[in-house]
Amino acid sequence: MALCQKLVSQAQGRFLPERLSPLKTKAKFGPSPSRRAQRLLCPRQRRPPVGAAGARPAPEGSGWPEGTSSSSGQRDGSRARPGRGTTGLSVKAPMEMWSTSSTEQFYRIPEGKGPHSVGCTDLMTENAVEGSFLRLYYPACDATDIEEARWIPDKEYYQGLSDFLNLYRVVGERLFHYYVGSVTCPAKSNAAFKPGEKYPLLVFSHGLGAFRTIYSAICIEMASQGFIVAAVEHRDESASATYYCKRRSVSESQEETTPTMEKEWIYYRKLKTGEEERCLRHKQVQQRAQECIKALNLILKISSGEEVTNVLHSNFDWNSLKDSVDTSRIAVMGHSFGGATVIESLSKEMRFRCGIALDVWMLPVGEDIYQNSIQQPLLFINSEKFQWAENILKIKKLISNDTNKKMITIKGSVHQSFPDFTFVSGGIIARFFKLKGEIDPNEAIDISNHASLAFLQKHLSLKKDFDRWDPLVDGIGPNVIPGTNIDTSPADPE
């Protein structure tokens, strides 16, 4: 236990021997006291969280080119030749974020900036894997006496993240519990829904290795601005961990003391030896799109006044959602693998009037999508450091000459500028996993959220003031550019 605590302290930057304080070592989680500790933390090849984080190639592949990130924003597998790659974008007023001071620093997921208080609750239907599972964020009545929701609600999610990161579970679980176990998201758990108007609906899809709670900064901001947000937890084995509830078989002597329901956990599925990733991811994205459509149908069913059984037995009043959804104003949004899910969902469901893909990973998208195109408006918001030429060319192919499809890039941002880990990680862990870019994480998420809101106002015909951020949708403003920073021009012949 002492060793684990020491490693945790190192990960937080609180255990830094004076001779190592400049951090000139390449140890796994900060300065490592021994080879044994290195093996304990990283028994296999390191894997950063993808979708929940992730800027390095996964051992079994994540659809990314081989190689690591470069300072130019190109990836080593993007076939950019020396002298042809784009230079790093200049970021205005970068944040000082890599302090290794031993002083304890407080990290927190940002609150919503809109006029509404925000509540959240979890909903799971049916006692089987085929049911829906989501976290609902919504405009709530003011309630100062209600606690905020836990950010990561079960220890099994720590275990799933450990598996995904290729850490021993015993180490990963203790590390996550110690480091983020007390983190809450700034939404009141099961707070009363705020009635009185019909709200637009936004369905959100998480990235590879993530789960329903990891994008709370985005979902809470949208709810504070007057959206109902259904953050789906996918059961296609792309989440680090998820579960469904099943009925327990008990003897008569146990009936009064044993719960009748138990959680059946589903963990991230790694690629098998020799398995083609494209086939697996395309199959998964099909299921993910269906789960987004199921979530849409479920929320509309509740809004119509139909009774829905929540097997999680929360004290939230689902009847308060009757007539709460504006059925003509529905959109879908997602990050990374969730961005591919957005594209697939738009192709299957016209009730999604538009979509927003955050730093999309295009590998899972089927060729039929390019042939049939997407009719609805679509906004691509990319980070500077994640994208590569092949991926960008696929995005451009989908955009074609459609003026309702846009692409912008946030200067100084990384793939992990969208999930919550960027806000709750200290300097050493943030640097190791590339959880923060050169831009202040709060500024990066504000740019993304403001561009999203302006895009949603235009294409959902909202009567709001989000149009003040219209220039961002065209890539105009501080720390944002139109299109991409990646050079996609053909290489000169040798």
Side-chain angles (χ1 to χ4, degrees), residues 74-100:
Q74 293 275 42
R75 306 184 74 74
D76 291 350
S78 65
R79 300 180 181 176
R81 298 178 58 200
R84 295 188 61 85
T86 54
T87 58
L89 301 174
S90 175
V91 179
K92 296 182 180 179
M95 176 186 180
E96 294 292 336
M97 61 177 65
W98 303 128
S99 171
T100 54

Side-chain angles (χ1 to χ4, degrees), residues 164-464:
F164 188 78
L165 291 164
N166 290 326
L167 300 176
Y168 286 125
R169 279 189 176 187
V170 65
V171 174
E173 184 178 340
R174 289 177 180 176
L175 186 67
F176 281 112
H177 177 74
Y178 185 89
Y179 193 53
V180 298
S182 61
V183 173
T184 59
C185 67
K188 297 303 180 73
S189 181
N190 296 317
F193 179 77
K194 185 177 181 180
E197 63 179 289
K198 290 193 173 186
Y199 301 99
L201 174 63
L202 185 63
V203 176
F204 193 95
S205 174
H206 64 72
L208 191 72
F211 37 91
R212 72 189 187 283
T213 68
I214 296 301
Y215 296 87
S216 64
I218 294 172
C219 296
I220 287 171
E221 174 62 16
M222 295 298 155
S224 78
Q225 298 288 357
F227 287 80
I228 294 174
V229 184
V232 177
E233 187 158 291
H234 294 294
R235 289 168 169 167
D236 61 332
E237 298 179 299
S238 68
S240 286
T242 186
Y243 68 92
Y244 62 93
C245 292
K246 68 176 184 179
R247 194 166 299 280
R248 186 194 299 268
S249 298
V250 294
S251 65
E252 291 184 1
S253 61
Q254 295 176 309
E255 283 183 356
E256 294 184 1
T257 60
T258 305
T260 58
M261 303 295 293
E262 63 179 348
K263 294 178 180 179
E264 184 74 15
W265 285 89
I266 304 168
Y267 293 100
Y268 175 76
R269 171 181 161 343
K270 297 177 182 290
L271 282 175
K272 299 173 183 176
T273 303
E275 183 177 17
E276 184 182 356
E277 179 160 38
R278 183 184 297 274
C279 293
L280 172 62
R281 302 308 182 200
H282 182 62
K283 180 180 178 182
Q284 287 177 320
V285 82
Q286 300 287 319
Q287 179 176 334
R288 285 166 145 259
Q290 290 301 327
E291 288 171 339
C292 288
I293 295 169
K294 279 185 183 178
L296 166 61
N297 291 333
L298 177 61
I299 300 304
L300 294 184
K301 182 178 179 180
I302 294 171
S303 181
S304 70
E306 292 188 45
E307 289 287 337
V308 170
T309 300
N310 184 8
V311 300
L312 299 179
H313 303 297
S314 71
N315 59 3
F316 180 74
D317 180 12
W318 291 98
N319 292 324
S320 64
L321 289 179
K322 184 177 180 181
D323 296 325
S324 63
V325 176
D326 187 336
T327 57
S328 66
R329 293 182 169 94
I330 300 169
V332 60
M333 185 180 193
H335 173 244
S336 194
F337 201 177
T341 307
V342 166
I343 295 169
E344 196 71 34
S345 299
L346 289 172
S347 73
K348 295 179 182 298
E349 181 54 73
M350 292 302 297
R351 287 178 295 174
F352 290 125
R353 286 186 52 186
C354 62
I356 300 171
L358 307 173
D359 229 10
V360 62
W361 178 36
M362 296 295 288
L363 179 79
V365 177
E367 289 299 321
D368 59 312
I369 299 296
Y370 300 102
Q371 296 170 5
N372 301 325
S373 190
I374 301 294
Q375 303 303 313
Q376 303 96 312
L378 182 56
L379 174 63
F380 293 92
I381 303 178
N382 293 338
S383 70
E384 178 185 347
K385 301 297 185 182
F386 173 72
Q387 295 294 334
W388 64 100
E390 182 183 3
N391 211 56
I392 291 294
L393 287 172
K394 290 180 178 180
I395 295 173
K396 288 184 174 181
K397 184 177 179 180
L398 195 63
I399 291 175
S400 188
N401 295 317
D402 189 343
T403 57
N404 285 324
K405 294 182 175 66
K406 304 277 189 177
M407 176 169 57
I408 62 173
T409 299
I410 301 174
K411 297 179 184 179
S413 60
V414 294
H415 195 52
Q416 304 85 331
S417 294
F418 301 93
D420 295 337
F421 279 106
T422 191
F423 302 108
V424 300
S425 56
I428 294 177
I429 282 185
R431 176 161 47 186
F432 179 78
F433 283 128
K434 298 187 183 297
L435 299 176
K436 300 179 192 285
E438 299 167 6
I439 190 172
D440 181 335
N442 289 280
E443 182 178 358
I445 207 69
D446 280 349
I447 292 171
S448 177
N449 286 336
H450 292 166
S452 298
L453 288 166
F455 185 80
L456 291 169
Q457 168 152 331
K458 178 177 180 180
H459 296 291
L460 297 182
S461 302
L462 302 175
K463 293 180 173 59
K464 303 283 187 178

